[in-house]
Amino acid sequence: MAALTLSVRDPLSTTTREFDRTEVLVGRGEESDVTLADRTASRRHARFVHEGGEWWIEDLGSRAGTRRNGRPLVERERLSPGDQIGIGASVLVVARVGGRSAPSAGVASSGMPTPGTSMFVRADEIISAVRERESRGDDLPALRRRAARLELLNDVHRALGASMALPELLELILDRAFRALQPEEGVIVLRDGPGRYRRASARRSPNSRGDALLSSTLHQEVIEKRQAALVCDLAEDERFGRAASLQVSGIRSLIAAPLYDDQGPLGMIALDSGVHVRSFTEDDLELLTSLASVAALRIRNVALSEEAAERRRLEEELKLARTIQIGLLPQELPEPPGWALWAGSVPSRGVSGDYYFAAERAAQSDLFAMVVDVSGKGMAAALLTASLEALAASPIELGLPPGEIAPRVSRLLYRRTLPAKYATAFLVAADIASGHFRFVNAGHNPALLVRAGGTIERLGATGPPIGLLPEAQFAESSADLAPGDLLALYTDGIVEAVDPDDIEFGIDRLEGFLAAHRAEPLPGLAEGLDIALDAFARGVPYADDRTLVLLRREA
């Protein structure tokens, strides 16, 4: 079997691979024999195949296409030593086919490229050769231009390998494009979605005419159709000659190259020149397209890195917010004689829209408890929770009964928040000696009064949610906790937990669990409820925060 040796060159490295098989797959996918770290490459991009004693190269229907010695590959072609296969910003040089080897890099003994050498000859070798000839005074303007452009691409490859933010990256790309192509105006447009574009970076000479390169016609032709554009005379061009913004701009010549990868179009880079200045050439377009190919990969990577950094920043902020929020909760629960208390809250996200409070108010010898569930979720709900906690702190400390606390806090919250922001709450104040308690249910789930004998009473709403109305009325009701009785306050994240069939846990299941475990120590009861909820949900994520406060008058 004839062996195949490939020199694989990407913008950052060169490696040599030897294969002794009949097929070599090239692409971005992990299953490829030659894996390219290039987003412009398809997962299965091209393949080398050995048939009839010869090696052949064929494109596998890739999006970006495959080049052989600088020409697009249309059908299967036979390989020869020295052939260079271009895929995106990577080049695969056929160093050896069977017993035949490629010539030594296409560079003559003088150090200059030999006639017919591919465009993928190493840039540093050409640059070095040009400088050597220049030092001898040789006049090689064409070669100097080519060397300068290859040096530009080398410079871009090196620069793009550095860590930088997106604005810096775009400025660097435009800077290198202006240095090589000397346009009057340049712009990089990024795509924010179908039909939505924004000028991400721009550069103009003193005589520039403005924003002509932001033409919607240009966006459609270059970005959406993913095709480069070279216009030598705008007035004669069929595609852009009717574009009003371009016609009145004074532009004579323009070039534009799309920025795209396998995930879709990213935008474009476009340059223009006016009448009596210069006209762009095919060589200019080739250089700009090469620059765009390298830039697109880096733009995507920078965007992904910035998204990851933003996610990390948000996660840190959520952690800090959660730490602050936990600090608002009671650090210790009261332990009045003859009573047992337990409280806990589990957010469905990083921060919670639930809040609970419990304290022994010595002046009235009562035990006060409250559970709150604000509208919405996430950070906005957490901020509203903190606001409500601050508004309620003073009337609670003053020892006011629930029937006076609820309307006062509701008025203040209504004045300070949007109409759509409100909170449901259950407030209770129990006399420690007698077990008699007064409560307000502000549009909240019914609290469950579990009697020592197992019967359950639901303590329903006595008023609207807090902060919903400018002048809300709240009735205060009362009941008694006898020895052995349990009062459970909770938020709807518990009863609205669902299983894979979208069936809710519901208040009936909660009542059944509390009745069955009413005499257990409260920490064990709460832990058992968590286990029961997890078993019921069977892996379905909880959609809402879960808060539970338990008060039991001991026998």
Side-chain angles (χ1 to χ4, degrees):
M1 183 183 300
L4 175 69
T5 302
L6 299 174
S7 177
V8 183
R9 304 174 183 172
D10 62 30
L12 299 178
S13 64
T14 299
T15 59
T16 300
R17 302 283 303 278
E18 294 184 358
F19 301 94
D20 189 14
R21 63 186 70 173
T22 59
E23 179 178 314
V24 177
L25 179 63
V26 182
R28 191 169 48 82
E30 295 181 357
E31 70 275 14
S32 300
D33 300 302
V34 178
T35 303
L36 301 178
D38 187 337
R39 289 189 175 275
T40 61
S42 299
R43 294 189 64 83
R44 293 174 54 86
H45 195 105
R47 70 167 181 164
F48 298 88
V49 59
H50 186 260
E51 288 184 2
E54 300 283 354
W55 277 96
W56 306 76
I57 177 64
E58 64 179 357
D59 186 84
L60 298 178
S62 66
R63 291 185 180 181
T66 303
R67 307 179 303 278
R68 177 171 176 257
N69 297 331
R71 295 179 294 102
L73 189 66
V74 178
E75 57 185 5
R76 176 187 289 193
E77 295 185 9
R78 185 170 56 193
L79 290 170
S80 299
D83 281 349
Q84 302 194 21
I85 309 303
I87 296 176
S90 301
V91 180
L92 287 73
V93 181
V94 180
R96 185 178 181 84
V97 179
R100 297 176 293 158
S101 298
S104 58
V107 178
S109 58
S110 64
M112 298 304 300
T114 57
T117 298
S118 164
M119 63 177 288
F120 295 110
V121 173
R122 286 179 60 89
D124 53 357
E125 294 176 1
I126 294 181
I127 295 164
S128 176
V130 169
R131 287 175 176 167
E132 179 183 346
R133 295 291 292 271
E134 285 180 332
S135 67
R136 300 200 300 264
D138 293 342
D139 183 16
L140 298 170
L143 188 54
R144 278 200 298 271
R145 285 196 301 272
R146 180 176 177 181
R149 295 186 177 194
L150 288 171
E151 185 172 22
L152 166 71
L153 290 178
N154 263 5
D155 178 39
V156 170
H157 288 323
R158 290 191 300 269
L160 295 186
S163 176
M164 66 183 73
L166 184 59
E168 296 174 295
L169 172 65
L170 300 182
E171 280 294 315
L172 182 147
I173 294 168
L174 275 183
D175 178 73
R176 300 311 193 266
F178 264 68
R179 184 184 303 176
L181 300 172
Q182 298 178 345
E184 281 191 83
E185 182 180 29
V187 65
I188 294 179
V189 173
L190 294 184
R191 186 178 188 264
D192 287 336
R196 300 198 311 274
Y197 312 97
R198 62 181 173 91
R199 178 178 56 195
S201 186
R203 182 171 297 186
R204 303 169 182 170
S205 69
N207 298 322
S208 173
R209 291 155 305 284
D211 292 335
L213 292 179
L214 299 181
S215 162
S216 59
T217 303
L218 193 61
H219 294 163
Q220 185 65 31
E221 292 294 327
V222 176
I223 299 175
E224 299 303 333
K225 295 183 180 180
R226 305 185 192 181
Q227 58 185 8
L230 167 60
V231 180
C232 297
D233 189 342
L234 183 66
E236 301 297 327
D237 189 85
E238 295 181 357
R239 289 177 298 174
F240 305 117
R242 292 186 298 273
S245 61
L246 292 174
Q247 279 297 312
V248 301
S249 66
I251 290 175
R252 173 191 177 188
S253 180
L254 69 83
I255 50 175
L259 300 164
Y260 70 94
D261 60 12
D262 62 337
Q263 297 185 37
L266 297 171
M268 72 171 186
I269 177 171
L271 310 173
D272 74 41
S273 180
V275 179
H276 309 307
V277 180
R278 63 163 299 185
S279 181
F280 294 109
T281 66
E282 291 184 7
D283 285 344
D284 295 330
L285 183 61
E286 179 183 337
L287 177 62
L288 186 66
T289 302
S290 298
L291 179 60
S293 176
V294 176
L297 174 63
R298 184 60 179 157
I299 287 171
R300 179 74 76 181
N301 289 341
V302 168
L304 292 174
S305 297
E306 290 183 348
E307 288 176 8
E310 180 65 12
R311 284 196 298 271
R312 289 193 296 270
R313 185 185 66 79
L314 290 176
E315 289 171 0
E316 290 301 318
E317 288 186 357
L318 285 174
K319 288 179 183 177
L320 177 59
R322 182 57 181 164
T323 300
I324 294 172
Q325 191 173 49
I326 291 174
L328 297 177
L329 298 174
Q331 301 304 300
E332 294 182 357
L333 294 176
E335 298 179 352
W339 290 79
L341 277 81
W342 187 93
S345 183
V346 180
S348 61
R349 301 185 182 182
V351 290
S352 174
D354 287 1
Y355 175 72
Y356 70 84
F357 181 80
E360 184 177 355
R361 301 193 296 187
Q364 286 76 28
S365 297
D366 70 358
L367 180 63
F368 181 87
M370 176 175 67
V371 167
V372 174
D373 184 359
V374 305
S375 60
K377 298 179 179 65
M379 188 67 75
L383 291 173
L384 187 60
T385 300
S387 177
L388 193 145
E389 183 273 338
L391 295 176
S394 178
I396 290 174
E397 289 182 2
L398 292 173
L400 298 182
E404 294 183 28
I405 295 174
R408 176 181 292 195
V409 174
S410 182
R411 284 193 300 271
L412 294 173
L413 190 66
Y414 181 87
R415 294 171 188 169
R416 288 166 171 76
T417 60
L418 298 172
K421 297 300 181 183
Y422 58 87
T424 66
F426 193 98
L427 298 77
V428 57
D431 183 78
I432 293 174
S434 67
H436 180 75
F437 65 90
R438 295 173 291 174
F439 69 90
V440 166
N441 184 334
H444 197 72
N445 302 92
L448 301 179
L449 179 53
V450 185
R451 297 300 183 182
T455 60
I456 295 180
E457 300 173 22
R458 297 182 182 180
L459 308 182
T462 63
I466 288 175
L468 183 63
L469 301 173
E471 293 293 338
Q473 301 298 316
F474 298 88
E476 186 178 83
S477 295
S478 64
D480 292 285
L481 277 169
D485 289 349
L486 172 71
L487 181 63
L489 317 180
Y490 59 93
T491 57
D492 53 14
I494 293 176
V495 293
E496 292 179 2
V498 298
D499 67 4
D501 297 321
D502 205 32
I503 297 173
E504 291 188 350
F505 187 76
I507 192 170
D508 292 336
R509 287 188 178 84
L510 178 59
E511 288 179 338
F513 181 88
L514 293 175
H517 301 273
R518 62 189 182 278
E520 293 182 7
L522 297 187
L525 189 156
E527 182 179 359
L529 179 57
D530 280 341
I531 294 172
L533 283 169
D534 288 342
F536 175 81
R538 286 174 285 165
V540 177
Y542 294 100
D544 205 352
D545 311 319
R546 308 187 310 280
T547 299
L548 179 68
V549 174
L550 302 172
L551 300 88
R552 184 168 60 205
R553 189 180 177 199
E554 300 290 58

